[in-house]
Every structure is written in C-alpha cells, then in structure tokens.
Amino acid sequence: DAGVTQSPTHLIKTRGQQVTLRCSPKSGHDTVSWYQQALGQGPQFIFQYYEEEERQRGNFPDRFSGHQFPNYSSELNVNALLLGDSALYLCASSWGASGSFYEQYFGPGTRLTVT
Amino acid sequence: RKEVEQDPGPFNVPEGATVAFNCTYSNSASQSFFWYRQDCRKEPKLLMSVYSSGNEDGRFTAQLNRASQYISLLIRDSKLSDSATYLCVVNGEPYSSASKIIFGSGTRLSIRP
C-alpha cells in the first residue's frame, strides 16, 4: 500500500522564480492538504483540495495556488518566490471532505530553498 | 498570544523516566485535539487523538482540560526511540474546518541512555 509521495525531494530556486510541487495521496484517499513548515516551527496549513476544488485556505497570499487532478493527485504552485518561502512543504492526504482531518497521513515533504 | 503554545524544550531525560508535556490553546471553541510525533527531517505522524475523557495507548497518555484550555501528553518508561519532536495540533472549528487546523511549534524530547 503506497503511502503519500511527494516530488521533488529537494529544490533550489532563485527569488522571483516560480515552483511547482507535486503530491500523490495514499491509496484510497481523495483529499489533499498542503502545509509549510519553517525550520523549528510546526506546519502551517496552506490549503486543502477535495473533488478538484480548493475547500479551505489558511493565511497564505495568492502567490500560493494549487490544483487537484481527477486521480486525486495535487500540485502546489508558488509564484514570485521570496527568501521567506524557504521551508519544508508537506502534503497530507485523507479521505472525505473537510471533516477528514482526523486521519491525515503526511508525505516526506519537499525541501525548498530560495536563494 | 499564539493560538497554540508549547514549551519548545528540549527536554533531556534518562531512559525509563516519565515525562510530560503541556500544550495550551486560546480558542475555547476548539473541538478536536491531537498529538503528532516528528522525527528529525521526517514528516509528522499521528501519535494519538485526545479525547475529553482522556485516552491511553501503551506508555502514552493524553489528557484534555477544557476549563484551563490545555492538553497534555505523558510518556511513561521512556525509550531511546521516543526521542523526537512532539507537535500539539488543535482543530478550532466543529467538524474539522481545515482552515482552523493549528500546529504548535513542537516540544523536543531527547532520551539519554
């Protein structure tokens, strides 16, 4: 049973560039949430996708956008990268709509460095 | 005041000791609570949910105090493998509105032989 997978593992970008991170949910899951985790901090909720729509959003600017595909996989896009966007980006999958937080499984994350 | 606060530690305790962490939350309407464990450079993993009646899973006991707005995690007979960062998670809305999912900054625990 494949767990949550994310790609790439590591990424280095320059300020002002754009980046796309990818996530495949755990088998049987249809909901994907994205989190940003800065060093020494807990994960911060970015947004959640269910049925190919953004259902909930945290306090992140519009530079952060996402997409969910019919196979439930998801992408996180960040435009106009800032140094402060350097962080570990975690994807978590679960089953059902927004009430599915109870059984979230996290992927290994993508470590983004902005120089 | 942060919405969810944890003592960052580190807690450095000998193997076999009992250790307890607290986590306070500011939103009295918070509905559900969890403890996650995160190993260094790894993803968070759900350790246990926290129920009003308290719950126990082996050496781990979680408690919720709604009046004082804190949750606690007790680890008995600590093992070297318990060394990790423990994240408190609070869900502030009924039926898990994801926008109110808030992680604490974590408490680092180090178990020494």
Side-chain angles (χ1 to χ4, degrees):
Chain A
D1 180 18
V4 181
T5 60
Q6 292 186 244
S7 63
T9 306
H10 296 86
L11 203 51
I12 299 175
K13 289 286 189 179
T14 304
R15 272 180 301 175
Q17 286 188 315
Q18 178 264 344
V19 68
T20 297
L21 310 182
R22 296 176 176 82
C23 171
S24 291
K26 180 179 167 65
S27 178
H29 286 181
D30 57 6
T31 303
V32 173
S33 301
W34 286 93
Y35 295 82
Q36 180 194 66
Q37 186 174 24
L39 202 60
Q41 300 296 315
Q44 281 195 295
F45 175 73
I46 303 175
F47 42 52
Q48 184 183 73
Y49 276 84
Y50 172 69
E51 291 187 334
E52 301 180 48
E53 289 188 11
E54 183 182 297
R55 296 291 177 161
Q56 301 284 349
R57 189 178 183 93
N59 296 323
F60 279 80
D62 292 344
R63 298 187 297 110
F64 289 78
S65 63
H67 189 76
Q68 185 178 35
F69 300 94
N71 67 353
Y72 310 122
S73 67
S74 176
E75 287 182 350
L76 164 65
N77 300 293
V78 187
N79 294 323
L81 285 167
L82 304 173
L83 294 179
D85 295 332
S86 296
L88 179 67
Y89 287 85
L90 294 160
C91 167
S93 77
S94 52
W95 183 86
S98 60
S100 61
F101 175 69
Y102 296 96
E103 294 290 339
Q104 282 203 348
Y105 292 80
F106 282 84
T110 294
R111 189 163 296 281
L112 172 66
T113 302
V114 182
T115 61
Chain B
R1 181 186 174 187
K2 286 185 179 179
E3 293 184 85
V4 176
E5 287 198 79
Q6 294 184 251
D7 182 340
F11 285 62
N12 190 325
V13 303
E15 199 172 6
T18 296
V19 61
F21 315 132
N22 279 347
C23 167
T24 58
Y25 60 94
S26 60
N27 183 358
S28 59
S30 298
Q31 294 293 315
S32 48
F33 311 87
F34 310 87
W35 284 104
Y36 273 72
R37 170 197 169 122
Q38 186 172 26
D39 293 292
C40 188
R41 305 187 76 81
K42 296 287 189 180
E43 71 273 20
K45 292 185 179 177
L46 180 64
L47 181 63
M48 57 199 308
S49 302
V50 187
Y51 305 121
S52 296
S53 55
N55 49 308
E56 187 174 313
D57 182 3
R59 299 182 293 106
F60 298 82
T61 300
Q63 296 278 354
L64 166 63
N65 186 317
R66 285 192 182 274
S68 300
Q69 294 182 208
Y70 74 85
I71 65 173
S72 63
L73 178 67
L74 180 78
I75 306 174
R76 292 181 299 277
D77 187 24
S78 54
K79 311 291 184 190
L80 295 175
S81 57
D82 294 333
S83 297
T85 295
Y86 290 83
L87 297 162
C88 162
V89 183
V90 175
N91 191 351
E93 293 289 322
Y95 305 107
S96 310
S97 170
S99 61
K100 293 297 184 183
I101 296 168
I102 303 168
F103 279 75
S105 296
T107 297
R108 284 179 52 205
L109 172 64
S110 179
I111 307 297
R112 62 180 189 269

